[in-house]
Amino acid sequence: MSKFTSRPQNLYLETQLGIVTRTGDWFHTTAKHIEQFVPGLLEERDLDHLVEEAVAWVRSADSLALTLLLVLLIYIHPIFAAVIAITFHFFWYRFKSAFVTIYLGKVLKLMNKDGYLLIISLVIISLLGMNGQYLAAGVGLVFFFLMKLGLLKRLWDKIDEDSADQLSLNDRVFKMVLIKYAIYYNKAPSEVQHMENKFKELALSRKQGKG
């Protein structure tokens, strides 16, 4: 059985193989498993909010890297700015789960919004163009579309797609979100290793189903 669950800001499908969001992000866990791993957590923080928080972290590499690039374009050569931004994107995308905190997640939700990204991009790219910094403006525009289309994310995903013996990057984030909220509500997560094994099991089942 599958069921649709929705909120004004989000839409996801929960199935036996996990949760898939409207943006195509998979988390290989279910409400039943979360209740098993962290008993009582869903009474304090419902699944909608947990998924929304995890999505904010998953999507944060694009918004943070674009913000960093736009700021750097004001101060340094556009090529150096692009190299730093791409390097940051790779690092943050791969290791963001180590930085998961409840409060920073709320900031990332705001930074991921289209309104924020459009306004900051429009303002800075326009200023660069008016100042005759056409290369910088061009780099900013190209990077904006790279982030909007998620092309760097797809590249990093392609590199990692055969790592079936490890938790996916999305699942690492969701696991850390669960642990952080468990600590916040003083509900010690039980069977953490079993939780990781279940993530891997559902991910492998989904891959085999595609094959």
Side-chain angles (χ1 to χ4, degrees):
M1 287 291 292
S2 302
K3 64 178 182 179
F4 279 106
T5 307
S6 64
R7 300 182 67 222
Q9 304 91 341
N10 214 340
L11 174 69
Y12 63 85
L13 173 68
E14 182 182 357
T15 75
Q16 293 180 343
L17 295 180
I19 296 166
V20 60
T21 70
R22 180 176 56 190
T23 52
D25 298 304
W26 271 93
F27 302 106
H28 298 98
T29 191
T30 64
K32 178 181 177 181
H33 296 144
I34 293 171
E35 183 59 33
Q36 176 186 351
F37 303 139
V38 192
L41 178 60
L42 293 180
E43 297 175 8
E44 302 286 353
R45 194 75 173 172
D46 62 39
L47 182 59
D48 290 351
H49 285 92
L50 293 173
V51 172
E52 186 179 34
E53 191 101 357
V55 168
W57 282 94
V58 167
R59 295 277 156 177
S60 63
D62 289 345
S63 55
L64 288 175
L66 178 58
T67 301
L68 175 64
L69 174 85
L70 293 171
V71 172
L72 290 177
L73 287 175
I74 299 173
Y75 299 104
I76 65 176
H77 192 279
I79 301 302
F80 292 150
V83 170
I84 292 171
I86 291 172
T87 301
F88 172 82
H89 189 284
F90 177 78
F91 173 83
W92 185 264
Y93 187 69
R94 292 296 302 271
F95 302 109
K96 60 185 174 291
S97 59
F99 301 95
V100 170
T101 65
I102 292 174
Y103 301 106
L104 183 54
K106 300 180 190 305
V107 175
L108 295 178
K109 287 180 190 178
L110 295 175
M111 294 186 68
N112 290 344
K113 290 184 180 299
D114 288 340
Y116 164 81
L117 296 174
L118 284 170
I119 290 172
I120 190 174
S121 298
L122 180 62
V123 169
I124 293 182
I125 291 174
S126 297
L127 287 174
L128 292 171
M130 287 188 293
N131 289 332
Q133 297 175 267
Y134 301 119
L135 177 59
V139 168
L141 191 60
V142 169
F143 210 88
F144 173 80
F145 284 107
L146 282 176
M147 297 300 99
K148 287 295 294 179
L149 297 174
L151 296 183
L152 283 182
K153 177 180 180 297
R154 293 182 190 180
L155 175 62
W156 311 148
D157 282 343
K158 190 70 176 176
I159 294 173
D160 286 336
E161 67 180 358
D162 295 325
S163 302
D165 58 330
Q166 300 178 7
L167 279 184
S168 72
L169 297 176
N170 286 5
D171 290 340
R172 288 184 210 171
V173 167
F174 206 101
K175 184 191 80 169
M176 290 306 300
V177 168
L178 293 177
I179 290 174
K180 294 297 183 180
Y181 273 105
I183 294 171
Y184 181 79
Y185 290 115
N186 196 28
K187 297 180 182 295
S190 61
E191 304 182 78
V192 172
Q193 186 58 51
H194 182 60
M195 175 168 59
E196 293 193 8
N197 292 338
K198 179 58 70 173
F199 274 123
K200 294 177 186 177
E201 177 187 322
L202 293 183
L204 183 59
S205 297
R206 186 169 70 88
K207 287 182 180 180
Q208 291 175 340
K210 288 181 177 180

